[in-house]
Amino acid sequence: MMRKTNETNQPLIFDLDLPELEAFFAEWGEPAFRAKQVWQGVYQQLWNSPEQFTNLPKSLRERLSKAFRFNAFTAERTLQSSDQQTEKILFRLPDNYAIETVLMKYDIRRTLCISSQSGCAMGCVFCATGQMGFKRNLTSGEIVEQVLHYARVLAASDERVTNVVLMGMGEPFHNYAAVMQAIDRLNHPQGMNLGERRFTISTVGLIPGIRKFTAEKRQVNLAISLHAANNELRASLLPSNVRYPLEDLMQACKDYVDATRRRITFEWALIQDVNDTTQHARELAGLVRGMLCHVNVIALNPTKKYSGKSTTRERAKAFRDTLEKAGIPCTIRLRRGIDIQAGCGQLATEAGLNQ
Ligand code: SAH
Ligand code: SF4
C-alpha cells in the first residue's frame, strides 16, 4: 500500500547552512546580505513564515515562499504533565512518520529532549522506540526544527532554550552527519548561537561514532547508555553490545576522556532485580574506576513489550550510595513527566503511529 504523504519538492529552509542559502540568493542575482537577513530572521527572530520577513522586498518574500518550506511538522498531540514542568509534543512528519520532542522546565533550565530518528534500529528491549523498529533518519533541518519550535514557544514568555539533549527517539550516532550539521546550525554565531556545551549526545555505544566524535574534539557533552557492567547482561538488554562489547566500549570511552579531558556520563536505567542491586553497583564501580565520569541513574519507565519492573526508591538510593562510596559521582534523575508518557517512543506507540 502507498503511504499517504504531504511531501513536496521544496527544500526545508532549516536543511540549509548559511553558504547554501547564500548560493540560492546568488543564483537569484540577490546580494549576499539578503541571505544573512533570512538567516537572522529564521534563527534570531524565529520567524517561520515568509510573510514575517518584512525587511525584505515583497517580491523576494514571494520567491522565498515558493522556493522553501518553513515547516516540516504537524503537531499531532501536545501533553502537559500534571506539575506543568514537562511538555511533550508528538510531531507528524510529511511522510506521516512520527517523532517526539519534550520540554523540561526545572529551576532556570529549559531543557529540550529531541529526536534524531523516527523509531530506532538498535532494539534495546526496554525502550518503546526500540520496540517500534527503525522508520527513518531525520534530516538536519528536522532536528533543527524541534529546537526552533520550542524556542518560539519559550520566546512568547521571554524565555530561551538553555540545554538540548539528544535523548528522544533514535540513536544519534546512527545518523551522525545530520546530528552534527544540526548542532552546527544552531551553534552558528550569526544565528541562534546556542553553545556546543549546551548539547548532550546520548549513545547506546556505537564505537565508530564515539571515535569520530572524539577526533572532532567538540565541546558537546557525551553520555553513554550502559545499563549493565558485564557483556552477558548488557547484550540481553542492548543487542548492539554483541557487535560493540564492553571492553572495546570502555576503551573508546577512556580514549575520549584522555583526548578531550571532558567528563563522560554513563546512564543506567534501574530495573528491579535485573540491574538494581548493590552488587550491580559494585560491578559498575569496578568497570569505570579511575575514569573522569559521572553516573546518572533513572528508574525504568515500564513499556508495553518488556516485562521488567521499575526499581524502588530505596534500591535507587542504595545503588547511588554504593557508587559514591567507591568514589564514583552519581545522580538519581527523577522520572519527570511520567503521566504524559514522556519516556521516548511511548506517546507515538499509544497514538498508534509508527506501527
Ligand atoms: N539512543 C540513544 C538516545 C535515546 S534513548 C541512547 O540509547 O542512548 C535515551 C536514554 O533513555 C537512554 O539512556 C536509554 O537507554 C533510556 N531509555 C530508553 N527506554 C527507557 C525506559 N523505558 N526507561 C528508562 N530509560 C529508558
Ligand atoms: Fe534506540 Fe536508544 Fe531506544 Fe536503544 S534506548 S532502542 S538506542 S532509542
Side-chain angles (χ1 to χ4, degrees):
M1 195 179 74
M2 284 271 287
R3 285 178 69 80
K4 250 177 86 180
T5 68
N6 296 314
E7 285 168 296
T8 71
N9 291 326
Q10 287 168 298
L12 180 64
I13 193 144
F14 319 128
D15 271 318
L16 276 65
D17 59 23
L18 183 53
E20 285 167 340
L21 196 62
E22 282 169 345
F24 266 96
F25 279 72
E27 206 176 297
W28 296 347
E30 296 283 346
F33 79 87
R34 290 291 186 205
K36 244 172 222 134
Q37 282 180 308
V38 172
W39 186 260
Q40 284 167 352
V42 169
Y43 291 102
Q44 291 182 352
Q45 320 302 325
L46 306 173
W47 291 332
N48 61 340
S49 148
E51 302 92 74
Q52 290 172 296
F53 292 76
T54 47
N55 52 349
L56 302 180
K58 189 158 182 276
S59 59
L60 197 51
R61 290 203 297 268
E62 279 165 7
R63 193 147 203 192
L64 265 186
S65 111
K66 285 205 182 91
F68 299 110
R69 280 180 297 150
F70 283 74
N71 277 301
F73 304 152
T74 320
E76 185 82 11
R77 282 175 75 181
T78 305
L79 295 181
Q80 293 275 348
S81 65
S82 43
D83 62 6
Q84 304 297 309
Q85 287 188 311
T86 309
E87 179 183 308
K88 178 164 192 164
I89 296 199
L90 180 64
F91 284 121
R92 190 186 278 272
L93 303 173
D95 53 8
N96 277 338
Y97 288 125
I99 56 162
E100 299 173 5
T101 308
V102 183
L103 165 66
M104 294 166 285
K105 303 187 192 180
Y106 312 139
D107 308 322
I108 53 165
R109 287 191 175 205
R110 296 291 175 267
T111 303
L112 298 185
C113 176
I114 65 171
S115 297
S116 56
Q117 302 177 314
S118 178
C120 183
M122 298 299 134
C124 306
V125 295
F126 52 76
C127 171
T129 305
Q131 290 160 8
M132 69 183 63
F134 179 70
K135 304 305 169 190
R136 73 163 168 88
N137 276 331
L138 298 190
T139 69
S140 57
E142 289 167 338
I143 299 170
V144 164
E145 188 173 337
Q146 297 170 67
V147 177
L148 289 177
H149 173 88
Y150 270 117
R152 282 179 213 120
V153 169
L154 289 170
S157 49
D158 262 337
E159 294 182 312
R160 288 162 168 265
V161 175
T162 62
N163 300 81
V164 176
V165 299
L166 280 124
M167 294 190 188
M169 272 189 192
E171 166 50 44
F173 284 168
H174 193 210
N175 189 15
Y176 192 96
V179 166
M180 297 309 164
Q181 283 160 7
I183 292 175
D184 289 342
R185 218 155 285 152
L186 294 164
N187 181 228
H188 197 282
Q190 288 171 294
M192 209 163 167
N193 202 10
L194 196 57
E196 276 202 330
R197 286 162 195 268
R198 295 175 180 275
F199 290 85
T200 300
I201 291 182
S202 172
T203 176
V204 71
L206 302 188
I207 293 173
I210 298 171
R211 296 230 173 262
K212 193 165 179 202
F213 182 73
T214 302
E216 287 176 10
K217 297 217 166 145
R218 288 174 176 267
Q219 310 271 7
V220 173
N221 302 297
L222 181 63
I224 309 283
S225 297
L226 212 50
H227 307 308
N230 68 71
N231 279 322
E232 194 188 351
L233 177 59
R234 193 163 187 272
S236 74
L237 300 170
L238 281 49
S240 61
N241 190 80
V242 175
R243 182 133 180 233
Y244 302 115
L246 274 172
E247 312 75 66
D248 302 347
L249 177 58
M250 296 320 287
Q251 188 58 51
C253 292
K254 285 201 180 84
D255 293 346
Y256 165 80
V257 172
D258 287 347
T260 62
R261 301 310 308 155
R262 296 182 69 81
R263 181 183 299 267
I264 197 165
T265 299
F266 293 110
E267 291 162 275
W268 194 284
L270 290 165
I271 312 168
Q272 203 171 102
D273 299 331
V274 172
N275 67 355
D276 72 338
T277 68
T278 50
Q279 211 171 324
H280 291 111
R282 277 193 293 273
E283 192 181 21
L284 169 59
L287 188 72
V288 302
R289 186 161 291 133
M291 206 188 297
L292 182 62
C293 72
H294 183 103
V295 175
N296 267 333
V297 297
I298 186 163
L300 178 83
N301 209 343
T303 49
K304 268 196 186 135
K305 295 183 185 161
Y306 179 63
S307 59
K309 292 193 182 64
S310 193
T311 193
T312 60
R313 191 180 291 252
E314 292 68 36
R315 284 215 185 169
K317 282 188 181 149
F319 194 94
R320 178 194 57 196
D321 292 347
T322 306
L323 282 178
E324 298 233 303
K325 261 186 222 131
I328 309 211
C330 175
T331 311
I332 302 180
R333 291 212 327 232
L334 296 171
R335 284 198 298 167
R336 308 266 186 180
I338 189 103
D339 56 337
I340 56 169
Q341 288 85 39
C344 87
Q346 293 184 306
L347 189 54
T349 303
E350 192 199 73
L353 290 164
N354 282 1
Q355 298 299 304

